[in-house]
């Protein structure tokens, strides 16, 4: 069984939607190749409910692939519409959401889902990895580049193809028309990623120079967005999307906005990164610690 996910709930992340709407056949071809490699006979594409255009495009692509004869009885492809919880970015949660989205199919396996959908061996791919697989198979290139969502204070926001090791400044200049005036910060990789200031845009976007940069997105923030406002947004996002299953993340999310100095907030972040059960809670501190590093005097109300 092969299961790609087209569900992105982070601010500044729209790659799956754009790719699935614009080139569903490439995603389907990547899925077909991945399924053949795994000898899978059944594939499920999980798309978030809000992606109505992507859903229609993928349905049409499946129909056309059957009509053209390259998708046949060897692989059954089904769409499952998700309800958009952020936690479905985590693999076991995604698999459980798919099972719940198809209650008619088979009884639920015991939780946690360690052995794949309904206990069957399951391979999970992202939309981007399927697209990269298809690009690599059809053109021989693809592994040396990735797709980056660029949004905010740039002249031409959109999805940009970037070579590995390019800097944020190069990606913005060459793929997004350049910065607008008055840029102060860039959120790299969404609310679980990193914050760079305008002087750090010449850092190569790779794990060596920007560890923990997360998925491919650059959200460029103008001077209108203060470090405090960004911190509050990160706090609200964590509180809204924490599933509440473990104490470190649930209680940490409620305490973050109440911290009144750097020391207290740093200590709380250390507890969350070491004690949270999943990546969501463990990665929450990354951008917050960047804000503390870059703007220590601007995060807290003056006493
Ligand atoms: S860290 Fe804990 S509470 Fe937060 S999302 Fe993960 S399991 Fe849920």
């Amino acid at each position: 069984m092969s299961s790609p996910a087209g569900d992105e709930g982070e601010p500044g992340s729209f790659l799956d939607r754009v790719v699935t709407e614009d080139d569903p056949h490439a995603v389907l071809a990547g899925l077909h190749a991945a399924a053949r490699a795994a000898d899978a006979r059944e594939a499920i594409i999980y798309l978030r409910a809000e992606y109505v255009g992507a859903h229609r495009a993928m349905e049409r692509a499946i129909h056309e692939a059957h009509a053209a004869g390259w998708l046949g009885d060897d692989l059954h492809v089904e769409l499952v519409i998700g309800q958009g919880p952020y936690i479905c970015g985590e693999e076991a949660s995604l698999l459980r959401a798919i099972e719940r989205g198809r209650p008619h199919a088979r009884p639920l396996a015991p939780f946690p889902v360690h052995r794949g959908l309904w206990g069957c061996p399951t391979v999970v791919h992202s939309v981007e990895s399927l697209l990269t697989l298809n690009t690599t198979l059809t053109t021989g290139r693809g592994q040396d580049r990735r797709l980056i969502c660029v949004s905010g204070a740039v002249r031409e926001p959109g999805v940009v193809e970037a070579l590995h090791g390019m800097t944020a400044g190069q990606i913005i200049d060459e793929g997004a028309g350049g910065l607008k005036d008055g840029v102060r910060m860039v959120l790299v990789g969404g609310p679980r990623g990193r914050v760079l200031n305008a002087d750090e845009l010449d850092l190569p976007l790779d794990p060596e120079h920007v560890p923990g940069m997360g998925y491919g997105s650059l959200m460029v923030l103008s001077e209108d967005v203060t470090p405090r406002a960004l911190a509050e947004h990160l706090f609200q996002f964590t509180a809204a999307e924490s599933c509440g299953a473990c104490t470190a993340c649930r209680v940490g999310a409620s305490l973050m906005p109440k911290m009144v100095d750097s020391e207290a907030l740093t200590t709380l972040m250390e507890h969350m990164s070491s004690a949270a059960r999943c990546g969501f809670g463990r990665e929450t501190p990354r951008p917050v610690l960047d804000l503390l590093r870059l703007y220590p005097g601007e995060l807290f109300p003056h006493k």
Side-chain angles (χ1 to χ4, degrees):
M1 194 169 288
S2 183
S3 174
D7 186 354
E8 44 206 350
E10 297 196 329
S13 173
F14 44 84
L15 173 67
D16 291 355
R17 177 180 61 76
V18 170
V19 164
T20 309
E21 284 179 359
D22 289 358
D23 203 353
H25 287 284
V27 177
L28 199 54
L31 173 62
H32 190 248
R36 286 188 64 181
D39 198 21
R41 306 296 163 84
E42 193 174 350
I44 294 169
I45 300 174
Y46 179 89
L47 283 171
R48 67 182 289 134
E50 293 90 335
Y51 287 2
V52 177
H55 185 203
R56 287 200 193 113
M58 191 52 76
E59 266 188 337
R60 196 163 52 242
I62 293 170
H63 178 74
E64 288 169 354
H66 275 295
W70 66 263
L71 190 62
D73 295 338
D74 58 328
L75 182 66
H76 174 72
V77 180
E78 183 177 342
L79 296 181
V80 167
I81 305 305
Q83 298 308 311
Y86 178 86
I87 195 69
C88 285
E90 194 274 328
E91 187 173 287
S93 304
L94 168 70
L95 298 180
R96 177 53 60 137
I98 291 173
E99 288 184 343
R100 287 193 179 280
R102 298 170 80 232
H104 55 283
R106 272 162 269 186
L108 294 178
F111 194 80
V113 186
H114 287 313
R115 295 184 183 161
L117 286 168
W118 297 285
C120 301
T122 302
V123 183
V124 178
H125 302 281
S126 69
V127 168
E128 184 182 10
S129 64
L130 295 178
L131 191 72
T132 301
L133 174 60
N134 185 55
T135 304
T136 303
L137 291 174
T138 54
T139 69
R141 60 183 179 80
Q143 292 164 314
D144 61 341
R145 63 202 67 212
R146 67 178 304 188
L147 298 172
I148 310 274
C149 301
V150 185
S151 61
V154 295
R155 300 194 188 284
E156 296 168 16
V159 177
V160 176
E161 188 179 70
L163 291 171
H164 288 308
M166 284 177 81
T167 67
Q170 287 173 321
I171 294 167
I172 292 166
D173 286 343
E174 296 175 21
L179 294 170
K180 289 184 177 174
D181 293 336
V183 165
R184 190 170 184 200
M185 301 177 282
V186 176
L187 185 60
V188 182
R192 316 253 81 69
R194 301 291 308 275
V195 179
L196 304 180
N197 68 15
D199 297 331
E200 295 175 315
L201 299 186
D202 57 353
L203 285 173
L205 288 186
D206 58 35
E208 182 185 345
H209 295 88
V210 190
M213 54 178 273
Y215 68 85
S217 81
L218 297 175
M219 188 184 290
V220 182
L221 304 172
S222 71
E223 287 169 335
D224 298 341
V225 181
T226 65
R228 176 69 198 175
L230 177 56
E232 285 177 354
H233 172 78
L234 295 170
F235 298 161
Q236 288 166 5
F237 183 82
T238 302
E241 299 294 349
S242 167
C243 80
C246 67
T247 306
C249 179
R250 183 182 67 252
V251 177
S254 69
L255 290 178
M256 287 165 80
K258 298 176 184 159
M259 297 294 103
V260 292
D261 59 47
S262 297
E263 193 178 345
L265 185 55
T266 302
T267 302
L268 179 64
M269 294 297 93
E270 288 170 354
H271 281 303
M272 287 183 74
S273 61
S274 62
R277 185 188 291 178
C278 82
F280 180 87
R282 288 196 295 269
E283 293 163 8
T284 286
R286 278 187 196 143
V288 179
L289 292 174
D290 277 334
L291 288 172
L292 284 168
R293 169 178 64 87
L294 293 166
Y295 309 104
E298 297 184 53
L299 288 194
F300 305 99
H302 294 297
K303 296 174 188 167

